[in-house]
Amino acid sequence: MWFKATESCNCIEPQWPADELLVKYQYISDFFIALAYFSIPLELIYFVKKSAVFPYRWVLVQFGAFIVLCGATHLINLWTFTVHTRTVAMVMTAAKVLTAVVSCATALMLVHIIPDLLSVKTRELFLKNKAAELDREMGLIRTQEETGRHVRMLTHEIRSTLDRHTILKTTLIELGRTLALEECALWMPTRTGLELQLAYTLRQQNPVGYTVPIHLPVINQVFSSNRAVKISPNCPVARLRPHTGKYLPGEVVAVRVPLLNLSNFQIYDWPEVSTRSYALMVLMLPSDSARQWHVHELELVEVVADQVAVALSHAAILEESMRARNLLIEQNVALDLARREAETAIHARNDFLAVMNHEMRTPMHAIIALSSLLQETELTAEQRLMVETILKSSNLLATLINDVLDLSRLEDGSLQLETTTFSLHSVFREVLNLIKPVASVKRLSLTLHLASDLPAYAVGDEKRLMQTILNVVGNAVKFSKEGSISITAIVAKPESFKDARIPEFLPVPSDSHFYLRVQVKDSGSGINPQDIPKLFTKFAQSQAVQTKGPAGSGLGLAICRRFVNLMEGHIWIESEGIGKGCTVTFIVKLGIPDRPNESKLAFAPKVPGNHVSTNFGGLKVLVMDDNGVNRSVTKGLLLHLGCDVTTAGSSEECLRIISPEHRVVFMDVCTGLDGYELAIRIQEKFKKRQDRPLIVALTGNTNKVTKENCMRVGMDGLILKPVSVDKMRGVLSELLEHRVLFEAI
């Protein structure tokens, strides 16, 4: 044991002498040094972990290892203050060697990274400078934003009104408030354009109208620049207020204000028109401060001047538009008044025509009916000639009444075409049969040529087409003393639409319709070519007709033209001159029926009276008419045809005497509702339709409403006055055969 202890003691190196207290302090210091060395790497590890952008993380790791080794050295050194083994000495030696290696490596590495760190410092300084520059730019941006905000605010205030005087006064007030001005003034050019006149000021409510010459150098300097210009406080346009006190006057700037569209814009002696003129705005800073104009303030003034120019231009345009609107309102009021007066006149005319139509047809009914009855009695040749003259004159008068009413309805647009399927060939044959007797008396040759490809049936207004053909052919017969009249009807070919005589007529071909071309040529008196356009004017006649030919109403061709236009066609006249005849041609649009052979609705009888049934003996007929003359005339017509006639003068009497024995009831519907109510009550009285008599309206009203009302209340027919014996004979035949008869209106 002693040997082992001696061997162990031989390994202990002798300690240099030291005071025990000092040794104790060194021991404690080494402990805390080691503790600090070990805590620093932990803090570095935390820093490296949290820092994602530090560029020298590996240097920090190396430096941390150096500190750890230093700490380990100091920690191991604690065992050297007492007797220790060789193992402790070896560990101590290894720790110091490693510490030396790491410390040298760290020192060498720092030599390399210190320049980089210095360059980083340089960049940091550069960034600081850039940041300062950015701060200055942000300050400018904030200043510009502030300026922009003031501009928007001022613009809003300026444009909140479009009264020019308010715009200018608002501009001065808002600029004075925004820029804290001592004074702000507006100089306007005078009417002569040679002077500037003080028009508005900020502080003075009523400017004195002080003027200065417009050609002053300072004014020319401002007008020649589009920027705000600093001017001397002592120049004439800047001496707005007297200088008082010990302070120097504040800085003054002036800017031009373009005056656009200055017509009718006068303040005091402003010009009425100025194509290239400027106003002058003068702005003065307070004299009791050291303020100076900043760039952004000058920019604000320039922008506001431009905005004022735009606002004044808009105000001028608005004033012009307001004047135009007021003028338009006045015109609209006048047009509306004229329209209402025209509508009132049209209504009055229509009411007058309706009344006159009924009142004129009532005596015409009596004249024609009695004349036709008288014609069928035994008369001498002279008496028969007189009766025929009466009938002819009466028929002409009835035709004239129809023409006037048709023209009236054509002009106010109330006349509409009635589209039905009809026999086209029959229309031409009926016209020929009606015209032949007159032509034979005048010994005129009358021929009709229908093209082979002309459709047998067509869709359109049969009555208006027949009326047009009859008018044209009737004129040819009327104005021809001798010779011939030819009527030709063909289907118009597309190439004929390019006729130079009808340049404005541009029809559109289709499979559902065709264009009928009718040409009537006569050898009559002819027409002066210069008179042809007048013939389609109502109440107009050619000079030749007025002097040589028979007189007419002058309505026929005017009505024909309107009928042709309604049928989407065109009509024209050709003549080489007086005595060389005349050719009238018209084209109308007609539809092609889906079933050409389909039966059509019954219309007024178109066959001669001697071709219809006359066996009406014992036919019980009831006539209701509040007019005694008409009642007697209608009764006479029916008695002449062999009917058993009962008359009633009122609706109550008609309802009291009507019975199932009556086959037909003729009633006058006039312009009121009594006739329609009577028809309804008759239908209510007879529950079974076969027991109810046929109800036929006998009226002088030719408007479409009358026909619609008759159909609405369930009447079986409508006949227009006047009625002759032949017409009544045909009416009864059609009624008894078809049990319905509505004459076309």
Side-chain angles (χ1 to χ4, degrees):
M1 292 293 295
W2 174 253
F3 174 78
K4 290 181 179 179
T6 304
E7 185 178 358
S8 299
C9 291
N10 292 334
C11 295
I12 296 175
E13 297 179 358
Q15 299 292 325
W16 50 276
D19 186 78
E20 290 184 2
L21 183 60
L22 293 176
V23 171
K24 186 176 181 180
Y25 284 152
Q26 290 179 5
Y27 183 85
I28 294 172
S29 298
D30 281 337
F31 175 76
F32 281 106
I33 290 173
L35 184 63
Y37 275 146
F38 284 122
S39 64
I40 290 175
L42 295 176
E43 295 171 356
L44 290 176
I45 291 172
Y46 175 78
F47 174 75
V48 171
K49 183 177 180 181
K50 294 296 183 181
S51 176
V53 297
F54 190 72
Y56 301 108
R57 301 176 67 176
W58 57 276
V59 176
L60 291 179
V61 173
Q62 185 176 349
F63 187 65
F66 164 70
I67 294 176
V68 168
L69 290 174
C70 289
T73 303
H74 283 278
L75 184 62
I76 296 171
N77 195 48
L78 294 177
W79 279 273
T80 62
F81 287 95
T82 58
V83 178
H84 57 278
T85 63
R86 183 177 178 83
T87 302
V88 172
M90 293 179 65
V91 170
M92 183 66 178
T93 303
K96 288 184 177 182
V97 171
L98 289 174
T99 300
V101 172
V102 172
S103 62
C104 291
T106 302
L108 293 174
M109 190 57 62
L110 287 175
V111 172
H112 291 286
I113 66 172
I114 283 176
D116 290 341
L117 292 174
L118 290 175
S119 63
V120 169
K121 190 66 176 179
T122 303
R123 286 196 294 271
E124 181 182 357
L125 181 60
F126 173 76
L127 291 175
K128 285 182 179 180
N129 294 335
K130 281 294 184 181
E133 186 177 345
L134 287 175
D135 288 340
R136 287 192 297 272
E137 291 179 358
M138 288 300 297
L140 291 176
I141 291 173
R142 283 192 293 271
T143 301
Q144 291 174 353
E145 289 179 350
E146 185 71 13
T147 303
R149 186 177 66 82
H150 286 300
V151 168
R152 288 191 296 272
M153 179 184 65
L154 288 171
T155 301
H156 174 73
E157 293 296 332
I158 292 170
R159 295 193 179 183
S160 61
T161 178
L162 286 176
D163 177 71
R164 305 190 204 187
H165 308 283
T166 306
I167 289 171
L168 298 177
K169 191 63 180 175
T170 303
T171 301
L172 300 185
I173 293 173
E174 293 300 324
L175 278 176
R177 182 176 60 83
T178 303
L179 300 177
L181 300 176
E182 179 177 312
E183 187 58 277
C184 185
L186 193 67
W187 296 80
M188 301 297 299
T190 60
R191 182 182 297 274
T192 60
L194 300 176
E195 294 178 319
L196 289 181
Q197 184 178 35
L198 185 60
Y200 283 112
T201 61
L202 179 61
R203 307 300 178 189
Q204 302 178 36
Q205 295 297 325
N206 299 305
V208 295
Y210 177 62
T211 60
V212 296
I214 201 170
H215 296 298
L216 290 176
V218 64
I219 296 176
N220 290 333
Q221 178 188 2
V222 177
F223 282 177
S224 62
S225 173
N226 58 357
R227 310 298 297 271
V229 179
K230 291 183 181 181
I231 62 176
S232 171
N234 298 318
C235 68
V237 293
R239 289 201 295 267
L240 304 175
R241 304 180 67 184
H243 300 312
T244 59
K246 59 182 180 179
Y247 298 104
L248 294 175
E251 286 190 350
V252 181
V253 297
V255 65
R256 71 183 188 185
V257 179
L259 298 179
L260 310 173
N261 297 324
L262 201 61
S263 62
N264 301 319
F265 182 21
Q266 299 183 26
I267 297 180
Y268 302 110
D269 201 22
W270 291 14
E272 291 184 357
V273 178
S274 179
T275 56
R276 187 69 174 176
S277 183
Y278 298 102
L280 185 69
M281 187 186 299
V282 179
L283 304 93
M284 180 184 298
L285 291 178
S287 57
D288 58 350
S289 68
R291 272 186 60 191
Q292 292 184 344
W293 287 99
H294 295 92
V295 175
H296 69 276
E297 292 176 332
L298 296 178
E299 291 176 352
L300 172 64
V301 171
E302 294 163 2
V303 172
V304 169
D306 291 338
Q307 291 298 321
V308 170
V310 174
L312 290 177
S313 176
H314 289 177
I317 295 172
L318 177 67
E319 288 183 7
E320 199 66 36
S321 64
M322 290 294 291
R323 282 194 293 270
R325 189 193 69 170
N326 293 335
L327 179 61
L328 184 60
I329 290 174
E330 293 176 1
Q331 292 175 346
N332 287 339
V333 170
L335 287 174
D336 186 61
L337 180 61
R339 179 184 59 81
R340 283 185 299 212
E341 291 177 351
E343 289 177 351
T344 302
I346 290 173
H347 290 316
R349 183 194 65 183
N350 291 341
D351 293 341
F352 171 77
L353 288 175
V355 173
M356 290 304 297
N357 178 35
H358 181 266
E359 295 302 325
M360 285 189 293
R361 285 179 182 274
T362 298
M364 287 302 302
H365 174 58
I367 294 172
I368 291 178
L370 294 177
S371 299
S372 63
L373 286 174
L374 186 60
Q375 191 181 30
E376 298 200 356
T377 61
E378 293 184 2
L379 301 171
T380 64
E382 185 179 359
Q383 290 173 335
R384 186 169 298 280
L385 179 61
M386 287 189 291
V387 171
E388 289 177 353
T389 303
I390 293 173
L391 270 175
K392 185 182 297 183
S393 299
S394 300
N395 286 324
L396 288 174
L397 182 58
T399 301
L400 178 60
I401 294 172
N402 290 336
D403 288 348
V404 171
L405 295 174
D406 284 342
L407 184 63
S408 174
R409 287 188 290 171
L410 281 168
E411 289 182 342
D412 63 22
S414 62
L415 190 144
Q416 296 179 350
L417 298 178
E418 294 187 4
T419 303
T420 58
T421 301
F422 63 93
S423 172
L424 188 56
H425 290 199
S426 297
V427 169
F428 285 97
R429 285 194 292 268
E430 289 173 19
V431 170
L432 198 63
N433 291 333
L434 290 171
I435 293 296
K436 264 185 178 180
V438 182
S440 61
V441 171
K442 301 182 74 173
R443 297 182 179 180
L444 296 173
S445 172
L446 189 62
T447 59
L448 172 65
H449 173 68
L450 302 179
S452 58
D453 60 344
L454 188 69
Y457 290 89
V459 177
D461 192 325
E462 178 185 16
K463 178 184 177 182
R464 305 307 175 192
L465 178 61
M466 179 181 291
Q467 189 173 349
T468 302
I469 300 173
L470 200 56
N471 252 324
V472 173
V473 178
N475 279 342
V477 173
K478 182 192 300 184
F479 300 116
S480 297
K481 293 182 179 180
E482 58 183 12
S484 62
I485 298 171
S486 64
I487 306 170
T488 305
I490 62 173
V491 176
K493 303 301 180 183
E495 53 269 16
S496 66
F497 297 152
K498 301 177 182 178
D499 195 328
R501 292 166 294 185
I502 48 174
E504 66 275 17
F505 182 57
L506 299 172
V508 180
S510 171
D511 294 336
S512 61
H513 65 260
F514 69 97
Y515 286 89
L516 172 67
R517 181 184 178 117
V518 179
Q519 186 178 76
V520 179
K521 188 174 183 179
D522 65 67
S523 57
S525 57
I527 307 171
N528 282 324
Q530 60 268 26
D531 291 337
I532 290 177
K534 303 176 185 177
L535 297 179
F536 293 107
T537 305
K538 56 185 179 180
F539 309 115
Q541 296 179 352
S542 69
Q543 189 67 27
V545 171
Q546 295 176 12
T547 56
K548 299 180 181 180
S553 64
L555 290 175
L557 288 176
I559 293 175
C560 287
R561 185 174 200 170
R562 286 166 172 80
F563 283 158
V564 170
N565 289 339
L566 279 177
M567 290 184 277
E568 301 181 40
H570 188 68
I571 184 171
W572 68 96
I573 300 176
E574 299 172 85
S575 179
E576 295 181 1
I578 302 297
K580 297 184 179 180
C582 179
T583 302
V584 180
T585 308
F586 67 87
I587 299 176
V588 293
K589 178 181 176 181
L590 298 175
I592 300 175
D594 295 332
R595 297 184 298 277
N597 296 324
E598 63 183 359
S599 62
K600 58 193 182 77
L601 293 176
F603 288 94
K606 300 177 179 61
V607 294
N610 57 357
H611 290 165
V612 298
S613 173
T614 58
N615 185 19
F616 303 120
L619 179 67
K620 294 184 71 66
V621 179
L622 175 60
V623 177
M624 197 288 292
D625 198 322
D626 58 356
N627 185 290
V629 175
N630 279 341
R631 191 166 59 247
S632 299
V633 169
T634 306
K635 179 180 179 181
L637 289 174
L638 294 169
L639 288 175
H640 180 76
L641 296 176
C643 299
D644 183 2
V645 184
T646 307
T647 62
S650 65
S651 300
E652 292 75 13
E653 184 181 1
C654 179
L655 286 172
R656 187 173 63 253
I657 65 178
I658 193 171
S659 68
E661 296 179 355
H662 291 103
R663 297 283 303 280
V664 182
V665 176
F666 288 102
M667 63 173 64
D668 182 61
V669 293
C670 299
T671 56
L673 296 177
D674 289 342
Y676 306 129
E677 293 176 357
L678 177 60
I680 295 174
R681 294 178 66 181
I682 290 175
Q683 294 179 70
E684 293 174 349
K685 184 174 182 178
F686 296 92
K687 303 298 182 182
K688 295 182 180 179
R689 181 174 177 81
Q690 58 270 24
D691 296 336
R692 178 177 66 81
L694 298 173
I695 305 174
V696 180
L698 192 61
T699 180
N701 296 326
T702 58
N703 54 4
K704 194 175 181 180
V705 177
T706 302
K707 180 177 180 180
E708 292 174 350
N709 288 335
C710 291
M711 299 179 72
R712 176 177 54 81
V713 299
M715 289 188 176
D716 301 297
L718 180 143
I719 305 300
L720 291 179
K721 297 177 183 178
V723 181
S724 63
V725 174
D726 285 342
K727 184 174 181 178
M728 182 60 77
R729 185 182 291 116
V731 165
L732 290 176
S733 298
E734 291 288 331
L735 279 172
L736 296 177
E737 181 179 355
H738 301 290
R739 299 189 65 82
V740 61
L741 173 60
F742 281 94
E743 189 172 358
I745 293 180

